[in-house]
């Protein structure tokens, strides 16, 4: 690691040297293309001097920077020298070259070629502080008995010395990093590639083994202490975790089957807290679903809906109706043919297993029913369906939401007057509420019966007595529709009943635009 750190620092210094030679102010000054002596002095004082000091101050390991060129006539600041004062061979410095002097200072030389790319035009020398090598040696030296030696590639010792038991020739035998034993000594060797040197650490084998044993014992004791502390912390956390978990599971086992209550203990923010939070949310959701299912099951008792969803074999029924329709077509009786077709579609709609339909399908079903009643009542019955916005027809609704109301209008209104009457079905939207009105001009409802029906629609406690009356009373049909509306659309949906002006009855349904999600499930 110490070698890697040193190589990294040397690479930084190499990059600084390269950036110095790329600096425009310094490059221009080194080329020295001046006609008078005051021009270079002006450039040096105004630009170059500041640039050089900024590089020196940029890296605390730089001691001084020197420049070499054959063009220099002045040496301001003592930084600029001629090539004849270069301490190394000029041809070696083109790609960069490191040397170590007797004062443990590192020198890095880097030159730049001229325009012919044959000769070096100018060069820079970056000299480091001696602390670079001294600190490197301090890091490497494990103890007082460890010695350090620096050897170049030509097997010349630059720093320190090797004992006679370790031959310099052995250094070239091993490449890279290695731990080697030679005689009574053990040594570690590593290459310093930028310096083209080898660093060797060596010590007596017995001393190194003793130091290694002490270090191993110290590390082992430290590791044991850390593991012991971690074990105590783990046991404390585990006991607290287990206690909370046991308390939570005990609460779950003690819960009654009839009713679920959220766990009221402190949830926390760990895994147990997350589990308790999910459990409480599940309890609330379950209670809501249980209430919804109970309401749904009550309303699914055999009543009005079973009367429309016949158990007759559908294939036989459809085949018979189609045969009758073809017989009517053969006799050119279009009225009977259309009536049979409406009846077949009405029965097919009645026998579908789905409980959810659309307002479009429901109104089409009502049209078929009114067409059949028109055949029976002739001019005594007129009807009209008015929809404010075609997009409303795509809204979901339960099957047979409107047909029972229309049946009431005919059976208890239109048929009871000799003159007959009309039925107008209107659909529009008020904000987020869909409004459906079924208005007839029949016999109407006397006030006493009107009050009774309104009371039944508001009081669910009267349901059991009402459900026992398996007759065709329209109050029961309206009550069934009202409860189905609350199940499908929520408790805010309403069914209103009032007398029409001047005669007849108006039944108004107010539905939420969003169907209850439990039904979609």
């Amino acid at each position: 690691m110490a070698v890697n750190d040193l190589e990294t620092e040397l690479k930084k210094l190499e990059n600084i040297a390269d950036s110095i030679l790329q600096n425009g102010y310094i490059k221009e000054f080194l080329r020295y293309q001046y006609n008078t002596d005051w021009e270079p002095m002006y450039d040096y004082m105004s630009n170059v001097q500041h640039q050089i000091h900024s590089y020196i101050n940029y890296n605390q390991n730089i001691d001084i920077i020197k420049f070499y060129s054959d063009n220099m006539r002045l040496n301001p600041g003592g930084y600029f020298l001629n090539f004849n004062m270069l301490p190394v061979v000029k041809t070696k410095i083109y790609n960069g070259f490191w040397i170590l002097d007797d004062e443990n200072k590192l020198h890095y030389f880097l030159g730049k070629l001229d325009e012919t790319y044959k000769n070096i035009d100018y060069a820079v020398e970056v000299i480091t502080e001696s602390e670079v090598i001294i600190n490197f040696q301090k890091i490497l030296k494990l103890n007082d008995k460890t010695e350090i030696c620096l050897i170049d590639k030509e097997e010349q010792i630059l720093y320190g010395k090797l004992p006679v038991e370790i031959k310099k020739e052995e250094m070239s035998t091993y490449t890279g990093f290695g731990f080697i034993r030679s005689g009574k000594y053990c040594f570690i060797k590593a290459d310093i590639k930028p310096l083209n040197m080898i660093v060797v650490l060596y010590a007596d084998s017995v001393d190194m083994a003793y130091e290694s044993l002490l270090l191993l014992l110290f590390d082992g004791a430290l590791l044991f202490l850390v593991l012991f502390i971690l074990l105590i912390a783990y046991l404390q956390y585990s006991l607290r975790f287990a206690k909370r978990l046991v308390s939570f599971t005990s609460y779950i086992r003690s819960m009654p089957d009839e009713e679920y209550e959220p766990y009221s203990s402190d949830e926390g923010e760990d895994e147990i807290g997350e589990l308790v939070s999910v459990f409480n949310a599940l309890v609330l959701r379950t209670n809501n679903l249980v209430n919804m299912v109970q309401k749904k099951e009550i309303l699914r008792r055999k009543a009005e809906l079973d009367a429309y969803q016949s158990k007759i074999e559908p294939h036989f029924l459809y085949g018979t109706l189609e045969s009758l329709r073809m017989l009517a077509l053969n006799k050119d009786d279009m009225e009977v043919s259309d009536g049979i077709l409406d009846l077949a579609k009405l029965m097919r709609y009645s026998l579908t297993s789905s409980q959810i339909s659309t307002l479009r399908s429901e109104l089409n079903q009502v049209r078929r029913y009114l067409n059949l009643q028109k055949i029976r009542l002739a001019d005594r019955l007129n009807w009209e369906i008015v929809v404010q916005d075609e997009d409303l027809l795509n809204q979901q609704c339960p099957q047979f939401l409107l047909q029972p109301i229309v049946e009431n209008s005919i059976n208890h209104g239109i048929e009871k007057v000799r003159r007959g009457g009309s039925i107008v079905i209107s659909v529009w939207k008020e904000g987020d509420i869909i409004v459906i009105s079924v208005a007839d001009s029949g016999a109407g409802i006397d006030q006493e019966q009107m009050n009774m029906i309104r009371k039944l629609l508001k009081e669910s406690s009267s349901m059991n007595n009402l459900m026992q009356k398996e007759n065709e009373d329209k109050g029961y049909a309206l009550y069934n529709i009202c409860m189905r509306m609350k199940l499908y659309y929520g408790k805010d949906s309403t069914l209103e009943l009032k007398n029409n002006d001047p005669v007849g009855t108006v039944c108004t349904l107010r539905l939420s635009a969003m169907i209850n999600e439990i039904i979609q499930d």
Side-chain angles (χ1 to χ4, degrees):
M1 183 177 293
V3 173
N4 291 336
D5 291 343
L6 178 61
E7 290 181 344
T8 300
E9 182 60 31
L10 295 178
K11 187 63 178 177
K12 291 180 181 179
L13 294 172
E14 291 176 1
N15 293 333
I16 291 175
D18 184 66
S19 65
I20 291 173
L21 294 183
Q22 299 294 336
N23 188 290
Y25 294 111
I26 297 177
K27 186 190 302 185
E28 185 71 21
F29 189 81
L30 291 174
R31 287 175 177 171
Y32 211 86
Q33 297 176 353
Y34 301 104
N35 297 323
T36 62
D37 289 339
W38 69 267
E39 290 179 311
M41 288 303 298
Y42 176 79
D43 279 351
Y44 175 79
M45 297 299 295
S46 59
N47 296 314
V48 177
Q49 183 182 30
H50 172 71
Q51 297 293 324
I52 295 174
H53 288 168
S54 65
Y55 284 113
I56 295 175
N57 295 330
Y58 175 75
N59 191 310
Q60 62 181 359
N61 290 324
I62 297 178
D63 180 27
I64 193 171
I65 298 175
K66 295 181 180 180
F67 299 92
Y68 296 90
S69 173
D70 287 333
N71 301 323
M72 302 302 299
R73 294 198 302 269
L74 297 175
N75 184 16
Y79 299 112
F80 302 93
L81 305 172
N82 289 323
F83 270 121
N84 57 9
M85 301 183 69
L86 188 69
V88 295
V89 180
K90 186 177 180 180
T91 56
K92 288 185 177 182
I93 66 175
Y94 169 63
N95 291 322
F97 184 71
W98 285 96
I99 64 171
L100 177 67
D101 63 17
D102 296 336
E103 298 179 355
N104 284 329
K105 291 186 177 182
L106 291 171
H107 300 249
Y108 180 67
F109 300 89
L110 180 64
K112 288 294 181 181
L113 297 176
D114 58 13
E115 296 178 353
T116 64
Y117 295 97
K118 294 181 180 180
N119 301 313
I120 295 178
D121 193 7
Y122 50 87
V124 64
E125 177 185 5
V126 178
I127 305 174
T128 70
E129 298 283 357
S130 59
E131 281 75 9
V132 175
I133 292 297
I134 293 174
N135 292 335
F136 173 66
Q137 295 171 359
K138 289 180 179 179
I139 295 174
L140 290 179
K141 197 164 185 177
L142 302 178
N143 51 51
D144 295 337
K145 298 180 180 180
T146 303
E147 299 295 338
I148 301 173
C149 183
L150 289 175
I151 305 174
D152 63 15
K153 290 299 183 179
E154 298 176 355
E155 298 181 357
Q156 297 297 318
I157 297 177
L158 304 177
Y159 175 82
K161 63 179 181 179
L162 287 176
V164 294
E165 288 84 354
I166 302 177
K167 306 298 182 182
K168 290 189 294 183
E169 293 78 5
E170 290 182 325
M171 299 300 102
S172 60
T173 305
Y174 307 98
T175 60
F177 177 82
F179 181 83
I180 308 128
R181 182 174 180 180
S182 178
K184 71 171 186 176
Y185 289 96
C186 291
F187 65 89
I188 300 173
K189 180 190 75 71
D191 294 330
I192 307 176
K193 295 179 181 179
L195 299 180
N196 203 19
M197 299 177 187
I198 299 173
V199 59
V200 180
L201 279 76
Y202 64 91
D204 188 279
S205 300
V206 176
D207 293 337
M208 184 170 288
Y210 179 73
E211 293 289 341
S212 299
L213 180 60
L214 291 179
L215 183 62
L216 180 62
L217 291 176
F218 175 78
D219 291 343
L222 182 61
L223 178 62
F224 176 79
L225 179 60
V226 171
L227 291 177
F228 180 76
I229 294 174
L230 290 176
L231 178 61
I232 296 299
Y234 172 76
L235 290 176
Q236 289 181 344
Y237 177 78
S238 299
L239 289 175
R240 179 176 175 272
F241 190 88
K243 182 178 179 180
R244 293 172 61 208
L245 185 60
V246 169
S247 176
F248 179 57
T249 53
S250 300
Y251 174 80
I252 295 177
R253 291 192 181 97
S254 62
M255 289 178 62
D257 296 335
E258 296 80 8
E259 186 177 1
Y260 305 115
E261 293 291 338
Y263 186 61
S264 59
S265 178
D266 182 21
E267 296 180 2
E269 298 181 356
D270 56 3
E271 291 80 0
I272 294 295
E274 183 69 19
L275 181 62
V276 171
S277 177
V278 172
F279 171 78
N280 289 339
L282 180 62
V283 166
L284 295 177
R285 176 67 173 166
T286 302
N287 289 336
N288 291 335
L289 289 178
V290 168
N291 293 333
M292 295 295 295
V293 169
Q294 288 175 348
K295 293 179 181 179
K296 184 177 178 180
E297 289 301 320
I298 292 174
L299 296 176
R300 290 186 183 277
R301 295 181 181 182
K302 290 184 179 181
E304 186 89 357
L305 189 59
D306 291 339
Y308 297 106
Q309 294 184 332
S310 173
K311 303 301 181 180
I312 300 175
E313 176 63 35
H315 297 291
F316 170 76
L317 177 63
Y318 299 150
T320 302
L321 292 175
E322 184 64 21
S323 298
L324 293 174
R325 178 171 173 270
M326 294 305 298
L327 181 61
L329 286 174
N330 290 334
K331 294 183 178 182
D332 295 329
D333 193 340
M334 297 305 299
E335 185 178 7
V336 175
S337 174
D338 292 341
I340 293 175
L341 181 60
D342 287 335
L343 178 60
K345 290 183 178 180
L346 188 146
M347 296 301 296
R348 184 181 298 274
Y349 185 81
S350 302
L351 294 173
T352 56
S353 59
S354 174
Q355 299 295 314
I356 296 296
S357 182
T358 62
L359 191 54
R360 186 189 308 276
S361 299
E362 186 68 11
L363 289 176
N364 288 336
Q365 178 75 353
V366 171
R367 286 190 182 94
R368 299 184 191 106
Y369 174 77
L370 289 171
N371 286 336
L372 292 175
Q373 293 294 341
K374 180 72 173 177
I375 296 174
R376 182 172 65 89
L377 298 175
D379 293 339
R380 294 180 60 201
L381 174 63
N382 294 304
W383 59 272
E384 182 183 8
I385 298 178
V386 180
V387 180
Q388 181 191 55
D389 188 353
E390 290 292 323
D391 291 339
L392 297 177
L393 299 178
N394 297 323
Q395 291 293 327
Q396 289 183 317
C397 71
Q399 284 187 343
F400 302 105
L401 183 68
L402 300 179
Q403 185 175 328
I405 300 176
V406 176
E407 288 184 8
N408 276 345
S409 296
I410 294 176
N411 296 335
H412 302 282
I414 305 299
E415 286 189 347
K416 289 189 176 183
V417 293
R418 184 180 296 275
R419 56 177 171 78
S422 62
I423 298 177
V424 179
I425 302 173
S426 303
V427 181
W428 70 93
K429 194 171 184 181
E430 295 179 357
D432 293 334
I433 302 299
I434 298 175
V435 183
I436 305 175
S437 170
V438 180
D440 68 70
S441 60
I445 305 175
D446 60 69
Q447 193 61 43
E448 182 180 354
Q449 190 176 11
M450 177 75 74
N451 294 336
M452 184 270 294
I453 294 175
R454 288 175 176 173
K455 183 178 180 181
L456 290 178
L457 295 178
K458 292 182 179 180
E459 296 180 2
S460 59
S461 60
S462 304
M463 180 185 60
N464 291 333
N465 295 331
L466 185 66
M467 294 288 285
Q468 294 173 1
K469 299 178 182 180
E470 296 184 359
N471 52 37
E472 297 299 323
D473 185 79
K474 61 182 176 181
Y476 161 64
L478 294 177
Y479 182 84
N480 187 28
I481 292 172
C482 183
M483 295 303 293
R484 292 176 66 209
M485 285 170 51
K486 293 184 181 299
L487 174 64
Y488 282 85
Y489 296 100
K491 62 181 180 179
D492 293 333
S493 61
T494 60
L495 188 153
E496 301 172 357
L497 191 66
K498 65 178 181 179
N499 289 320
N500 200 3
D501 188 19
V503 291
T505 308
V506 179
C507 185
T508 304
L509 291 75
R510 297 184 180 274
L511 312 173
S512 170
M514 182 63 69
I515 199 166
N516 198 319
E517 66 178 45
I518 188 173
I519 303 303
Q520 295 183 24
D521 294 341

